[in-house]
Amino acid sequence: MLLLLLLLSGVTYAQAPTYTNSVGMEFIRIDTGRMIVGRFQPPYPVPDDTVRGMTRPMVMWMGDGRPYSAKEFALARSMAERDAMPGFEVVISKPFYIARFEVTQEVWQRVMGTNPSVFQGGEIGDTSQHPVENVTWEDVQEFLRLLNQVENTTRYRLPTEFEWEYAARAGAEGDIPWSETQRVAQLGGKTTRPVGQKEPNAWGLYDMLGNVWEWVDDFYNEKIFADPVPPATGKLHVLKGASFVGDVKNATWFTHAGGPGNGWDVGFRVVMEIEEE
Amino acid sequence: MKRILSTLGRSILHIQLALSILTGCTTKQHNEDEQRRTPIFNGRNLDGWHISRTSHQGTTGNFYVEDGAIVLKQHPYGQGGVLLTDRKYANFELYVEVKIDSFCNGGIFLRSTESGQAYQVELAVPGANADLFGERMEISIPGKATAIGSVWKPDDWNSFRIRMEGAVPRITLWVNDVQMWDVQQPKNDFIAGATEGMIGFQSHWSAQYLPTPGGFNMPGAWRPDGAHRFRNIRIRELD
């Protein structure tokens, strides 16, 4: 009876774990929760040739195997401790839907009637399932306006940086293990790749890392990580997730970058708000 | 014996004369070259330059001007970065004086993209100093500065003159007026086919944000509080 009521009230789709809209975009429901954002505890070398907190030996590039001096060890430690930050708690208080994939060239074409992507057709072949790229944050706003119009709603928007990071981490507290980066992140190669070719994250989202940088809604604060409250104004917007020309160093959910990026490796994914339940 | 000395004396005089003519020519040529180059760093602030906000080396490096030179340091600990010109250049001759701390890995980026893919002249002592590499891209033919040891002034200013020309680029490097290498690439190695880009200076990352399973750190890539410095940066655009 309850199910029937929900069906009749038209709310069911907003509670389902997945949803596909009229232009073929698939969404996954993300539930509420908490996470610590902006924790910075850089590993530093210690005299026994390892790095604090690490099990692998550090990679030394000190030419001819020159070791750190006692003074350098002490300086590294004091600088790392000086710059360390505990981070802050972020509460995701409203559930939301986020697209399973980056917006593809096919979806952009369907909504906008154009395809601005640098990597399309030609020698690469059919790129309809590659992410759209070469789109500015403002271009994306126009896409969202038209998508909302097509779907007769106002619920589509870019994710906030915290929504994006919460979805990308999928429950992870620490940084991504590099073995996992290799499995889930679309890195390497000379072009974008079709979406969804690597493994999804724990919540079923593809290409949160690699392939293309993804615009989020927030202005960029020109700091290594976000502030608890994003700037109200700014010149640039935040980019998350790194692109196929990134590497294991920055293809992590923590990386907090800013536009404009290279253009040809900058795209986005969409959030669909859930109506009050 | 006296005769020998006299002959030797004349020879030395001739050598000195020849040297002075050569030096004179070199200086004259040098001054003319200098006049054709436009400064791209004003010696006072970073107007005309910006930090890459998408480089994997870092996005918040401590880049500032001191005593008429651009200084690159990491910030925060372990995070380097790339400083880029606002303008892009296609064919050019770049002149820059460089002073680098040892055990700090950096480089001069040529035709860099915004996130720092570039042909790179390596700056690293000890290391592959003044070699030509690709940064975040494979290049067809590297350059090897085998003679760098004979001209390099450690812990001092060294002049770099770099000529880059052609959609399929030919790149030539002189350090302290001595040619190190002259490399004609067989193809344009940029992944999106760029034939122009920014001039950049790099400070390498050395630590991750947090200890990461399976990851490694590179404390040897940039010694704590180390710096690279750049001054008298001039460019002559070629037709």
Side-chain angles (χ1 to χ4, degrees):
Chain A
M1 186 61 184
L2 180 64
L3 182 64
L4 183 63
L5 281 174
L6 287 171
L7 279 169
L8 289 172
S9 69
V11 177
T12 304
Y13 74 91
Q15 292 187 326
T18 62
Y19 173 73
T20 302
N21 72 7
S22 71
V23 291
M25 301 168 74
E26 291 180 56
F27 291 84
I28 290 181
R29 181 190 159 107
I30 305 296
D31 285 315
T32 58
R34 296 163 188 272
M35 62 179 174
I36 300 295
V37 169
R39 191 156 64 91
F40 184 66
Q41 292 177 335
Y44 55 86
V46 290
D48 59 357
D49 263 13
T50 61
V51 168
R52 190 188 62 87
M54 308 287 292
T55 53
R56 292 170 61 158
M58 59 189 178
V59 174
M60 294 298 289
W61 279 8
M62 287 302 221
D64 308 327
R66 170 192 178 275
Y68 265 49
S69 64
K71 190 179 164 192
E72 286 167 339
F73 278 123
L75 188 56
R77 177 179 179 165
S78 69
M79 291 177 73
E81 289 178 351
R82 177 197 68 194
D83 293 342
M85 296 181 288
F88 50 89
E89 187 179 68
V90 169
V91 178
I92 302 295
S93 58
K94 289 177 69 176
F96 60 94
Y97 282 100
I98 193 165
R100 189 189 292 274
F101 304 110
E102 291 162 339
V103 171
T104 62
Q105 294 181 21
E106 179 179 68
V107 165
W108 181 279
Q109 178 84 42
R110 207 169 277 161
V111 173
M112 300 287 279
T114 58
N115 182 2
S117 305
V118 170
F119 297 113
Q120 61 170 301
E123 290 177 6
I124 314 172
D126 176 12
T127 53
S128 61
Q129 299 310 307
H130 286 230
V132 68
E133 24 83 9
N134 200 25
V135 289
T136 65
W137 190 90
E138 288 72 20
D139 294 337
V140 170
Q141 300 309 308
E142 180 60 10
F143 171 91
L144 291 164
R145 191 182 70 79
L146 288 179
L147 178 63
N148 276 314
Q149 193 175 304
V150 167
E151 289 264 298
N152 193 28
T153 182
T154 57
R155 294 185 298 149
Y156 294 104
R157 59 172 171 79
L158 280 174
T160 65
E161 178 172 8
F162 294 152
E163 286 170 338
W164 187 100
E165 185 167 324
Y166 181 69
R169 289 163 64 165
E173 291 181 3
D175 208 344
I176 184 170
W178 283 12
S179 56
E180 188 180 331
T181 311
Q182 300 298 346
R183 289 200 306 274
V184 305
Q186 188 61 265
L187 300 177
K190 298 192 170 188
T191 69
T192 57
R193 304 281 296 168
V195 299
Q197 302 296 299
K198 304 290 282 192
E199 290 180 23
N201 74 3
W203 291 351
L205 303 170
Y206 289 84
D207 303 313
M208 294 300 285
L209 306 178
N211 218 6
V212 288
W213 286 99
E214 299 183 14
W215 288 116
V216 294
D217 195 56
D218 309 45
F219 282 113
Y220 180 53
N221 62 0
E222 303 189 359
K223 299 177 185 174
I224 184 168
F225 293 130
D227 291 309
V229 178
T233 59
K235 286 178 289 186
L236 305 169
H237 288 85
V238 173
L239 291 169
K240 295 290 275 185
S243 77
F244 67 96
V245 293
D247 78 354
V248 288
K249 161 66 168 51
N250 69 338
T252 113
W253 38 70
F254 292 140
T255 295
H256 166 78
N262 294 323
W264 43 260
D265 64 348
V266 175
F268 68 109
R269 79 179 62 215
V270 171
V271 149
M272 185 179 76
E273 291 178 348
I274 291 179
E275 290 167 338
E276 293 300 321
E277 296 176 5
Chain B
M1 192 64 176
K2 192 179 170 187
R3 190 169 180 166
I4 293 172
L5 282 176
S6 167
T7 310
L8 194 63
R10 274 203 303 276
S11 299
I12 289 170
L13 190 68
H14 288 155
I15 291 167
Q16 282 175 338
L17 189 65
L19 273 176
S20 69
I21 291 167
L22 270 174
T23 314
C25 287
T26 307
T27 306
K28 186 162 175 274
Q29 182 68 42
H30 186 79
N31 289 343
E32 283 176 5
D33 285 349
E34 189 84 345
Q35 283 166 12
R36 290 203 297 267
R37 298 190 194 116
T38 307
I40 56 172
F41 163 53
N42 63 20
R44 298 185 308 278
N45 57 43
L46 293 177
D47 285 357
W49 298 76
H50 68 279
I51 297 176
S52 168
R53 301 300 187 177
T54 41
S55 166
H56 77 293
Q57 302 290 358
T59 53
T60 54
N62 182 18
F63 305 158
Y64 59 97
V65 177
E66 184 179 72
D67 298 331
I70 293 176
V71 183
L72 262 61
K73 289 187 174 185
Q74 291 186 331
H75 182 80
Y77 177 80
Q79 300 290 314
V82 181
L83 183 69
L84 297 166
T85 55
D86 293 345
R87 265 203 58 192
K88 291 181 176 179
Y89 301 91
N91 303 309
F92 57 84
E93 193 171 279
L94 172 72
Y95 176 86
V96 55
E97 292 165 8
V98 174
K99 184 179 177 182
I100 61 173
D101 286 351
S102 58
F103 304 107
C104 293
N105 182 289
I108 301 169
F109 284 11
L110 309 170
R111 291 189 187 165
S112 181
T113 70
E114 182 62 35
S115 75
Q117 286 80 45
Y119 288 94
Q120 174 184 205
V121 178
E122 179 89 342
L123 295 175
V125 175
N129 198 29
D131 285 0
L132 178 69
F133 292 143
E135 166 75 1
R136 301 307 304 160
M137 66 181 203
E138 288 177 30
I139 68 166
S140 303
I141 303 181
K144 186 75 187 154
T146 49
I148 190 70
S150 63
V151 301
W152 190 253
K153 293 177 279 183
D155 300 315
D156 202 350
W157 293 99
N158 291 273
S159 75
F160 282 65
R161 185 157 60 91
I162 304 165
R163 190 180 171 94
M164 183 170 198
E165 200 167 14
V168 175
R170 176 181 176 182
I171 313 172
T172 315
L173 170 69
W174 295 262
V175 176
N176 296 332
D177 290 325
V178 178
Q179 184 175 308
M180 293 291 118
W181 39 257
D182 181 6
V183 178
Q184 173 66 61
Q185 300 295 340
K187 64 182 171 67
N188 181 2
D189 296 303
F190 279 101
I191 57 175
T195 54
E196 61 173 22
M198 295 161 265
I199 305 295
F201 302 130
Q202 177 222 47
S203 154
H204 206 284
W205 72 273
S206 61
Q208 306 166 61
Y209 307 131
L210 300 172
T212 303
F216 58 77
N217 292 272
M218 299 181 166
W222 198 272
R223 79 175 184 202
D225 205 37
H228 280 191
R229 292 177 167 82
F230 304 87
R231 72 178 186 192
N232 290 336
I233 312 166
R234 297 162 185 272
I235 206 160
R236 180 161 71 95
E237 293 186 74
L238 308 172
D239 296 332

